[in-house]
Amino acid sequence: MDPSCAFDRVAVVGTGGYGWHFLCALLATKRLHVRAVTSTTDTQSSLIKQSGLVKQKHTDKQKRIAKLRELGAEIVEYDDPASEAFAAAFSDIHTVVSAVGLSGVTSQIAMIDGALAAGVRWFIPSEYGVAHYASTWMPFPSPLAPKTDVDRYLRDHAMPRGLAHTVIYTGMALDYLDPASIGLKLASRSATLVGRGGTPVSFTPAHNVVQLVCDIVQRPHEMMNRTIRFASSTAKMRELIKVATNGEHGERVKIVCVDEAKAKFCELAKHQDPRAFQIYSRLLIEEGLGQINRMNEPLDNAMFPDIDAEPVGRTLERLMEHSEPNVQINPTPAHRTASAKSVTDGLGRRFRDFNM
């Protein structure tokens, strides 16, 4: 008997961004009952939309929902992001995958309460990036601070009541984020660098993130109550700038000192200027907070042998060529024992040192 069959009813919260791709990938397995849980209104804040931080794709929500129905998804809508609404939306669901954007992170507390009330057994929060670490220079909580509250709520409140969880860190996805948000202006082959650009950054392209989540969802007993760290490659900003500018320097690269960037961020953030998000992401990278294993935690790439990890240099080249990746979703992912060891060299020798 397939050990994942007891978790064959999956709900994904969010039908845009990663939510859309998760839903399509899970439906493609032909092994799961997939429910799309979506708000009746557009909950993404105008600040996030204007920030340029995330590429806007699949903007026509009704067309997305119609396509998901055509693919076989069950659609459930909610009016208010309250625990009662989520409890109703998660009825008869075993696994909940959250794909809310940054502005919806705090709504996951009500989502978790709703999952508990509905008897959901496994919750995967919307991470798919980097963990939150407090910056000593910042005079107010960072935009990523609410992620810590959600993780703590899952660990201290939900897990003792029987709701398992899995936190997934994948670093930055340059084909999901706009590369210009971290200073890579591909159209003009130019760049803006905050600081020296010498700190390592973890990267995983969006299609690898989708493959990873689809794989994890189908391996519940191995993946519950653990943190998964997967990175397709690790690189430094100065190395990516060489790719983005075709190796040219001088006028193509603008260098901004860290103190100047911090002051500009604080000024913009006070007025909720959307440009603050872009400066924050560049400061996060320069501070070394863009690496998902910065405390020498082992990477878990070896647990996912079916994923053909795309190095970030190739992602940039693909974006400049306007080409799409060849994505394969494996309906029967390779299973490993629950005691499978993570490995520190999970990136593989080819991608560990990204020297251009």
Side-chain angles (χ1 to χ4, degrees), residues 143-158:
L144 299 182
K147 294 170 68 173
T148 301
D149 298 332
V150 172
D151 292 348
R152 185 181 301 113
Y153 196 74
L154 280 167
R155 184 181 64 250
D156 298 343
H157 177 74

Side-chain angles (χ1 to χ4, degrees), residues 111-304:
M111 210 179 291
I112 293 165
D113 288 339
L116 284 166
V120 171
R121 300 171 63 187
W122 189 20
F123 187 91
I124 300 176
S126 184
E127 288 285 351
Y128 326 119
V130 297
H132 168 254
Y133 295 96
S135 298
T136 56
W137 60 268
M138 195 174 295
F140 38 76
S142 80
L144 299 182
K147 294 170 68 173
T148 301
D149 298 332
V150 172
D151 292 348
R152 185 181 301 113
Y153 196 74
L154 280 167
R155 184 181 64 250
D156 298 343
H157 177 74
M159 193 164 70
R161 298 174 62 187
L163 179 62
H165 67 277
T166 302
V167 176
I168 305 169
Y169 295 126
T170 55
M172 295 189 171
L174 290 186
D175 52 352
Y176 182 71
L177 299 172
D178 185 345
S181 68
I182 61 170
L184 302 174
K185 304 167 186 176
L186 303 185
S188 61
R189 300 296 191 269
S190 61
T192 299
L193 175 65
V194 171
R196 302 179 63 183
T199 56
V201 187
S202 302
F203 294 95
T204 303
H207 68 278
N208 282 165
V209 174
V210 173
Q211 290 171 315
L212 177 68
V213 171
C214 189
D215 196 324
I216 287 171
V217 167
Q218 296 179 83
R219 296 161 61 183
H221 300 291
E222 295 177 73
M223 300 297 166
M224 285 181 168
N225 294 326
R226 65 186 302 165
T227 296
I228 298 294
R229 289 179 170 84
F230 181 100
S232 291
S233 58
T234 300
K236 300 173 182 178
M237 280 301 299
R238 63 174 69 148
E239 296 162 348
L240 300 188
I241 285 174
K242 290 181 182 179
V243 180
T245 62
N246 294 325
E248 297 182 27
H249 298 287
E251 294 181 358
R252 286 186 177 271
V253 182
K254 177 184 177 181
I255 299 177
V256 179
C257 75
V258 172
D259 288 341
E260 179 185 347
K262 288 178 180 177
K264 187 65 174 179
F265 167 78
C266 291
E267 176 188 345
L268 294 174
K270 287 178 183 177
H271 298 91
Q272 294 194 349
D273 190 306
R275 292 173 294 174
F277 285 94
Q278 296 190 14
I279 298 176
Y280 173 74
S281 62
R282 298 174 199 182
L283 286 167
L284 179 146
I285 289 172
E286 181 61 19
E287 198 172 351
L289 305 184
Q291 186 179 15
I292 61 174
N293 59 330
R294 63 187 295 266
M295 305 302 290
N296 295 317
E297 301 95 337
L299 291 170
D300 297 302
N301 291 42
M303 295 186 69
F304 305 94

Side-chain angles (χ1 to χ4, degrees), residues 1-13:
M1 181 177 181
D2 188 340
S4 66
C5 66
F7 290 81
D8 60 355
R9 297 183 64 83
V10 182
V12 177
V13 183

Side-chain angles (χ1 to χ4, degrees), residues 89-108:
F90 299 154
S91 175
D92 299 323
I93 288 294
H94 305 135
T95 304
V96 171
V97 179
S98 173
V100 297
L102 186 59
S103 62
V105 168
T106 55
S107 70
Q108 292 182 114

Side-chain angles (χ1 to χ4, degrees), residues 31-89:
R31 301 173 65 242
L32 303 168
H33 176 91
V34 181
R35 180 180 299 170
V37 178
T38 183
S39 170
T40 54
T41 59
D42 188 352
T43 57
Q44 191 177 59
S45 72
S46 59
L47 186 61
I48 296 290
K49 288 179 179 179
Q50 298 169 27
S51 69
L53 194 62
V54 176
K55 293 179 180 178
Q56 297 299 314
K57 294 183 177 181
H58 311 291
T59 54
D60 191 325
K61 186 172 184 178
Q62 293 308 312
K63 287 184 179 179
R64 288 200 308 269
I65 291 175
K67 182 61 178 179
L68 289 169
R69 281 201 177 99
E70 180 184 324
L71 292 172
E74 178 188 3
I75 308 296
V76 173
E77 295 182 317
Y78 63 90
D79 295 319
D80 181 40
S83 58
E84 295 81 5
F86 286 123

